[in-house]
Amino acid sequence: MVEVALDKSLEATEPQVVKIIESMKYSLMAGGKRIRPVLAIAACEMFEGNVDSVMPTAVALEMIHTMSLIHDDLPSMDDDDMRRGKPTNHVLYGEDVAILAGDALLSESFEHVARFTKGIPAERTVEVIRRLGNSVGAYGLAGGQVMDLECENKEGTTREDLEWIHMHKTAALLKVAVAAGAIVGGANEEDVKACELYAEKIGLAFQIADDILDVTATSEELGKTAGKDEETNKTTYVKLLGLDGAKKEAQKVTDEAKAALSEYGDKAAPLLGIADYIIGRKN
Ligand code: GRG
C-alpha cells in the first residue's frame, strides 16, 4: 500500500518538470524499508484510525526521509556514491539538481498532507503539519546534522553529545511518525506522549543498530558504504561501548520502548514487533 501511494504521489504533468520529478522519484522509489510510513500506520491503527486517513502523512514522512538521504549523501556532507544499493541522486543528476530534488520533496511533503488528508478534524491535520515542520528544522534533522558535522574528526565527543545528535538526526523523524499516526488515529495528549517515549527509545535503538551494522555488515548487505564511521573517525556507540556493550544497550533501549506501550496490550503488537525488527535488521 505504501509503495503504491508513493508511486502515485509524484507525476510530471508539464514537460518542464520532467527532470526534477524524475530525480525526486528516482530516490523516492529506490527501495528502503519504509519504516517511518509503517510506524505512522501502526500508530494510527492502535487508536482505531483509518489507514486511508493516515496515508498522506505516511507518504510525507518518506518524502522527508528521502530528502534527508539525498542531502546527507551530497559531496559537502557525507560524500557518498551509493544509497539503497543504487548510485546516489547527485551521481546521476548532478549536485545542483539533487539539492533541488531534496528541497522539492520537503516542500511537497507538507502540501501532500494538507491537500490529501481526509476524514479527520482539520485541527489534527494542522497539528501533524506543525510537528513535521518542527522535526526537520533546527530542533530536528537539520540541527542534528549540524552537530554531527561539528563532532566529525573531533576528539572528546561524549556519550551525551552522541545521544543529542541521534535524538535529533534520527529519532526526531521516527518520533513524529508515531506521534502523527497517533494524532490522525484520534489519540489524546497522554497517548501521544506514550507514543513519543516509545519512538525516542526506538530512535536510539535504531542508531545503535546502525553503528553496529557499520562494522559488522558488508556494503552489499547495507546498500551503502560500510565501514564509513571508522573512515571518517566518527564517535559511535561501538567506539564508546564496544561491540558487545552496544548490543546490550540496543536491547536495553528496545525493552524500554516496549515498556512505554505496556498499557495498550495487544493493540500495540505491531509497534512492539517493529521495535524488535529495528535491532534485528540486516540493513
Ligand atoms: C535539508 C532541512 C534539511 C535537513 C537535512 C542531511 C540532513 C539534514 C540530515 C541527515 C539525516 C539523516 C540522513 C539521518 C540518518 C537517519 C538514518 C539512520 C537513515 C537510514 O534510515 P533507514 O535505515 O533507510 O530507514 P532506508 O533506506 O531503509 O529508508
Side-chain angles (χ1 to χ4, degrees):
M1 285 167 77
V2 170
E3 292 301 319
V4 171
L6 288 172
D7 197 34
K8 279 208 301 216
S9 68
L10 295 174
E11 196 193 342
T13 55
E14 291 177 37
Q16 293 87 340
V17 299
V18 166
K19 187 169 185 175
I20 179 121
I21 297 277
E22 186 189 308
S23 160
M24 292 157 79
K25 221 163 169 174
Y26 169 73
S27 292
L28 190 67
M29 300 312 293
K33 299 179 288 295
R34 313 307 195 195
I35 286 178
R36 293 149 193 86
V38 170
L39 279 170
I41 294 168
C44 179
E45 289 188 325
M46 189 163 89
F47 296 100
E48 271 141 46
N50 181 301
V51 179
D52 290 342
S53 60
V54 77
M55 198 52 90
T57 298
V59 167
L61 286 159
E62 195 64 24
M63 285 179 172
I64 294 172
H65 172 55
T66 302
M67 169 283 291
S68 78
L69 299 181
I70 295 173
H71 282 192
D72 195 50
D73 292 332
L74 288 170
S76 59
M77 302 257 182
D78 269 3
D79 193 10
D80 236 310
D81 52 14
M82 191 163 107
R83 170 71 71 175
R84 292 172 162 173
K86 299 191 168 79
T88 44
N89 197 293
H90 65 269
V91 167
L92 278 191
Y93 295 97
E95 195 177 349
D96 44 7
V97 173
I99 291 170
L100 293 164
D103 294 343
L105 278 166
L106 180 58
S107 308
E108 292 285 339
S109 73
F110 301 120
E111 195 211 341
H112 201 81
V113 177
R115 192 202 276 214
F116 296 109
T117 304
K118 304 259 166 18
I120 63 165
E123 307 84 76
R124 287 191 177 255
T125 306
V126 173
E127 180 59 12
V128 167
I129 297 170
R130 182 192 74 73
R131 284 170 180 262
L132 286 173
N134 185 257
S135 76
V136 184
Y139 295 91
L141 269 69
Q145 178 78 348
V146 169
M147 177 74 176
D148 195 17
L149 292 170
E150 282 186 343
C151 289
E152 225 170 73
N153 280 319
K154 192 182 100 184
E155 292 305 319
T157 303
T158 63
R159 188 162 166 185
E160 285 70 38
D161 294 333
L162 197 61
E163 206 156 297
W164 195 94
I165 291 168
H166 298 320
M167 286 307 288
H168 293 78
K169 206 181 127 164
T170 302
L173 201 51
L174 298 170
K175 193 167 155 183
V176 72
V178 184
I183 289 165
V184 173
N188 66 29
E189 241 173 77
E190 225 169 274
D191 293 325
V192 174
K193 284 215 171 81
C195 286
E196 286 185 318
L197 182 59
Y198 157 85
E200 279 176 9
K201 299 290 179 183
I202 60 162
L204 275 187
F206 195 97
Q207 194 56 53
I208 302 169
D210 236 45
D211 290 354
I212 293 170
L213 286 170
D214 190 70
V215 294
T216 58
T218 63
S219 297
E220 286 66 38
E221 284 167 323
L222 291 180
K224 61 178 184 179
T225 317
K228 191 89 197 213
D229 295 339
E230 188 62 46
E231 194 189 306
T232 54
N233 197 22
K234 251 192 182 170
T235 305
T236 66
Y237 283 94
V238 174
K239 216 177 222 178
L240 289 179
L241 308 174
L243 192 54
D244 274 353
K247 284 182 182 167
K248 279 196 192 111
E249 186 64 17
Q251 188 60 57
K252 180 175 155 263
V253 288
T254 303
D255 293 342
E256 288 168 359
K258 291 169 151 185
L261 299 181
S262 57
E263 68 175 278
Y264 301 100
D266 287 350
K267 285 189 184 151
L271 289 177
L272 303 187
I274 296 168
D276 286 330
Y277 167 75
I278 279 172
I279 52 166
R281 71 201 162 94
K282 300 279 175 268
N283 70 23

